[in-house]
Amino acid sequence: MADLMLRFDMRQPDFSTACRTEFYQAAIDMCAWGDDKGFGSVHLSEHHGSPDGYCPSPLVLASAIAARTNNIRMFISALIAPLHDPVQLAEDLAVLDIISRGRVIPIVSGGYREEEFKAAGKDLSIRKKYMDDIGPFLTKAWTGETFEYEGRTITITPQPFSSPRPMILMGGSSKPAARRAAREADYFIPSGPEIFEFYRAELKKLGKPDPGPMPAAPSTVTFVAEDPDAYWEKIAPHAQHETNMYAQWAEKAQMFTPYRHHDNLDELRASGAYIVYRPQELIDAARDMISAQPIMFHPLCGGIDPELGWASLNLFMDKVMQPLNEEGIV
């Protein structure tokens, strides 16, 4: 069955017309709506110092969402761990695990934007040691027992809700990252299937269970409209802003990204990265999806006005959800 996903990174470029407070409130409201409608997960992201206001505090946003929801899982995708003090991170995640009753799942990543590290008074060179240490550190920290770390005596309280501890996922695009995840994490979120296969091989070497092939990931951002052309015209600059910013960041850091730079809006639409479906078109597309392939909605993508985001979500619920439910697709 397809998993219904929401995603928010809270970008708001200068041309976005939404009030910042209303924009954040809309994201929280949409998560509460998704929780009520059976959405499986929401994915929140972290970046710092972006001129478009990219969310720098996804744990705070997740806490607000947790207070308004009961079932939806909240993935921090990704949590740029080296920018956080490990003690504070362990405490924040423990409290958030309690508030959410175990529904927040951090995907711990090393980060890649040099500007963010400099602003935090850190250097990119710290990433390897930090990432090597953070898995064992969190595992010890969440026992509630006193332990030694870098010459300090540390006790983390309160203990998390999850037993024996919250899940620790790790992201990455390299073999060392996959090897580290196999050793220290509960799961690995890679940049592509080749690295995931290397991760599986590392698990086998360690005598750990094989998780099977890499799960299907959403390849497009989904919107629903009765008039896709008119809807695309309204959201296209926002989608363009998102993909171009991600592509620019990745190019500067010389790292892989699925995002591509697009100067032409027609070419962006033709790329299939952002699709506006008519209701019946999405029903037909969902029938062709492989088992467990997610359908991802990014209703505030690139600063889209919340009214436009709501229009897509409500149309999905009114004209798409019931047929897919009846066929057992979602």
Side-chain angles (χ1 to χ4, degrees):
M1 295 175 69
D3 180 27
L4 300 178
M5 297 169 44
L6 289 166
R7 181 183 170 219
F8 299 98
D9 59 20
M10 310 312 292
R11 287 187 185 274
Q12 267 195 285
D14 291 341
F15 59 85
S16 175
T17 58
C19 166
R20 182 77 68 185
T21 54
E22 293 173 355
F23 197 64
Y24 268 80
Q25 188 59 56
I28 297 167
D29 290 344
M30 288 171 176
C31 290
W33 174 91
D35 184 60
D36 181 63
K37 304 302 183 185
F39 277 61
S41 61
V42 55
H43 296 248
L44 309 175
S45 304
E46 173 186 7
H47 278 295
H48 299 260
S50 180
D52 58 13
Y54 199 116
C55 181
S57 301
L59 299 184
V60 174
L61 181 55
S63 183
I65 293 168
R68 291 279 308 279
T69 58
N70 295 302
N71 299 301
I72 198 168
R73 293 164 296 154
M74 289 153 279
F75 288 84
I76 312 301
S77 178
L79 192 157
I80 309 174
L83 298 180
H84 297 261
D85 174 79
V87 173
Q88 186 69 58
L89 182 62
E91 292 173 338
D92 287 348
L93 287 172
V95 171
L96 190 49
D97 189 68
I98 293 168
I99 293 170
S100 69
R101 292 181 177 267
R103 291 183 290 123
V104 175
I105 302 170
I107 301 176
V108 182
S109 171
Y112 63 91
R113 295 188 66 226
E114 186 175 12
E115 301 93 327
E116 296 178 338
F117 281 74
K118 285 184 177 179
K122 299 180 179 182
D123 190 270
L124 284 172
S125 62
I126 71 168
R127 290 180 299 175
K128 182 184 183 304
K129 183 180 186 305
Y130 187 104
M131 290 299 294
D132 284 344
D133 291 348
I134 194 60
F137 178 88
L138 291 175
T139 298
K140 289 179 183 177
W142 287 332
T143 65
E145 299 176 358
T146 300
F147 65 103
E148 298 295 318
Y149 176 73
E150 294 185 345
R152 293 177 284 164
T153 301
I154 296 171
T155 308
I156 302 296
T157 59
Q159 286 183 255
F161 168 85
S162 297
S163 180
R165 58 164 175 76
M167 290 185 68
I168 302 172
L169 276 60
M170 288 186 175
S173 58
S174 66
K175 289 183 177 180
R179 188 177 293 114
R180 179 190 300 119
R183 187 175 64 247
E184 308 293 354
D186 297 303
Y187 201 66
F188 182 52
I189 308 296
S191 59
E194 291 183 4
I195 295 297
F196 192 81
E197 289 304 310
F198 181 83
Y199 164 70
R200 292 178 67 188
E202 289 297 306
L203 287 173
K204 184 176 180 180
K205 290 179 185 178
L206 295 170
K208 295 183 177 182
D210 183 354
M214 179 176 169
S219 58
T220 63
V221 174
T222 297
F223 299 93
V224 189
E226 295 286 10
D227 185 342
D229 291 341
Y231 195 89
W232 173 254
E233 186 175 345
K234 293 176 182 177
I235 70 165
H238 301 277
Q240 181 186 42
H241 174 80
E242 175 181 77
T243 191
N244 285 357
M245 285 295 291
Y246 277 126
Q248 176 184 320
W249 287 354
E251 181 180 4
K252 186 174 183 179
Q254 297 183 331
M255 62 166 288
F256 170 81
T257 179
Y259 293 93
R260 297 292 178 264
H261 191 281
H262 290 275
D263 291 322
N264 184 288
L265 294 179
D266 291 334
E267 291 179 359
L268 173 58
R269 189 177 187 184
S271 74
Y274 304 86
I275 299 181
V276 184
Y277 292 96
R278 289 184 176 85
Q280 187 59 50
E281 290 173 341
L282 181 51
I283 293 170
D284 294 339
R287 288 174 178 150
D288 293 335
M289 289 179 180
I290 62 175
S291 177
Q293 182 173 347
I295 301 174
M296 183 176 72
F297 294 87
H298 191 1
L300 302 180
C301 171
I304 289 173
D305 188 283
E307 287 189 11
L308 274 176
W310 275 120
S312 173
L313 293 177
N314 286 326
L315 186 59
F316 171 78
M317 191 53 54
D318 292 343
K319 295 194 174 182
V320 179
M321 185 69 168
Q322 183 175 344
L324 295 184
N325 263 328
E326 290 174 351
E327 297 183 31
I329 297 173
V330 297

